[in-house]
């Protein structure tokens, strides 16, 4: 059974930092392109970024609103993908989902999400 | 970069068919066959219903179908059931800046 389990969501002040983790199991993680998608309270989905598999180069790409502030990395030995979030803003508030690009930009597996709150 | 455009809400009675549209540009929906559709029930994670415009993942009912014409993609749900009541989001690869765009979401109400 495929499982994606996010953790690390918390309350942080504007300008602060947070690192989210997503532990994967039930599929070949080393071959997977992993993405983060977020959802502000009562709002729609927003793509945050993704990291390719190491065999495909391992590069990460980001959405414009988070570029330069967020960094995605992966540790294939722990089947885990990370989202390092710096210089957090109130507009970064939301549930952050970990997901797999399983079907050519179709995200097949999703975690349950972890909540990030940014407030003074 | 703007999100893809979806109607805010649609509704239908059990057994009927409904269609949700998703309008983009030639840089996303119109330029690539990488349109996906997701269903999201309140408090739950999204669920992939359609990928690459008109393909269903294993386990998804054939009541769900997708299509595309020009810069507009569509999701059709036939034989509406109560459990289809949810929010639906489209997404597309884009060649501009952000690699993936989502639509603003459509709330489906089954009357």
């Amino acid at each position: 059974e495929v499982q994606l389990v996010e953790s690390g969501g918390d309350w942080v002040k504007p300008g602060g930092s947070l690192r989210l983790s997503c532990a994967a199991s039930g599929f070949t993680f080393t071959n997977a392109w992993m993405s983060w998608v977020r959802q502000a309270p009562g709002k729609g989905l927003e793509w945050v970024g993704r990291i390719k598999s190491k065999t495909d180069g391992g590069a990460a790409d980001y959405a414009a609103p988070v570029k330069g502030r967020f960094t995605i990395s992966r540790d294939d030995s722990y089947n885990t993908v990370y989202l390092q979030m710096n210089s957090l803003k109130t507009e970064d508030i939301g549930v952050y989902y970990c997901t797999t690009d399983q079907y050519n930009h179709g995200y097949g597996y999703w975690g349950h999400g972890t909540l990030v709150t940014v407030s003074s | 970069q703007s999100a893809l455009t979806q109607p805010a809400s649609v509704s239908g009675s059990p057994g009927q068919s409904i269609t949700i549209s998703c309008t983009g540009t030639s840089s996303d929906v119109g330029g690539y066959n990488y349109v996906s559709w997701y269903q999201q029930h309140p408090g739950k994670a999204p669920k992939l219903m359609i990928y690459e415009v008109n393909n269903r993942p294993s386990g998804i009912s054939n009541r769900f179908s997708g299509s595309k014409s020009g810069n507009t993609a569509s999701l059709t749900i036939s034989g509406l059931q109560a459990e289809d009541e949810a929010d639906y989001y489209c997404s597309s690869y884009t060649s501009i800046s952000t690699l993936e765009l989502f639509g603003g979401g459509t709330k489906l109400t089954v009357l």
Side-chain angles (χ1 to χ4, degrees), chain A:
Chain A
E1 179 196 5
V2 171
Q3 278 199 310
L4 295 173
V5 180
E6 303 95 336
S7 60
D10 204 345
W11 170 83
V12 63
K13 291 183 178 180
S17 298
L18 211 53
R19 189 177 85 154
L20 307 184
S21 300
C22 170
S25 61
F27 63 98
T28 306
F29 182 80
T30 52
N31 294 340
W33 292 24
M34 302 299 297
S35 292
W36 290 92
V37 174
R38 68 184 180 183
Q39 186 169 34
K43 302 295 185 182
L45 302 172
E46 181 183 22
W47 186 79
V48 173
R50 68 109 190 272
I51 187 165
K52 297 179 181 179
S53 64
K54 284 196 165 52
T55 53
D56 288 320
D61 296 286
Y62 303 93
V66 308
K67 204 166 188 177
R69 299 188 297 123
F70 289 12
T71 302
I72 300 174
S73 60
R74 63 190 298 156
D75 187 337
D76 289 354
S77 59
Y78 288 100
N79 285 2
T80 300
V81 61
Y82 304 99
L83 178 63
Q84 176 67 43
M85 305 185 292
N86 299 330
S87 303
L88 280 161
K89 307 175 181 180
T90 54
E91 49 262 47
D92 296 318
I93 291 172
V95 174
Y96 283 69
Y97 294 100
C98 169
T99 182
T100 61
D101 186 348
Q102 193 179 353
Y103 297 100
N104 275 332
H105 306 277
Y107 298 99
Y109 299 130
W110 293 72
H112 55 83
T114 187
L115 178 63
V116 171
T117 303
V118 184
S119 171
S120 53

Side-chain angles (χ1 to χ4, degrees), chain B residues 39-104:
Chain B
Q39 176 192 68
Q40 186 179 35
H41 287 109
K44 300 293 187 181
K47 178 181 180 181
L48 179 67
M49 308 303 284
I50 296 288
Y51 67 96
E52 290 180 338
V53 177
N54 57 11
N55 292 291
R56 284 185 307 275
S58 174
I60 300 302
S61 170
N62 60 9
R63 296 188 299 107
F64 293 83
S65 62
S67 62
K68 190 182 83 167
S69 178
N71 295 336
T72 298
S74 298
L75 172 71
T76 298
I77 309 174
S78 59
L80 268 180
Q81 299 178 1
E83 57 261 37
D84 298 332
E85 186 163 291
D87 293 325
Y88 290 84
Y89 295 91
C90 63
S91 74
S92 173
Y93 168 78
T94 172
S95 58
I96 297 178
S97 184
T98 296
L99 294 180
E100 302 281 352
L101 280 177
F102 280 95

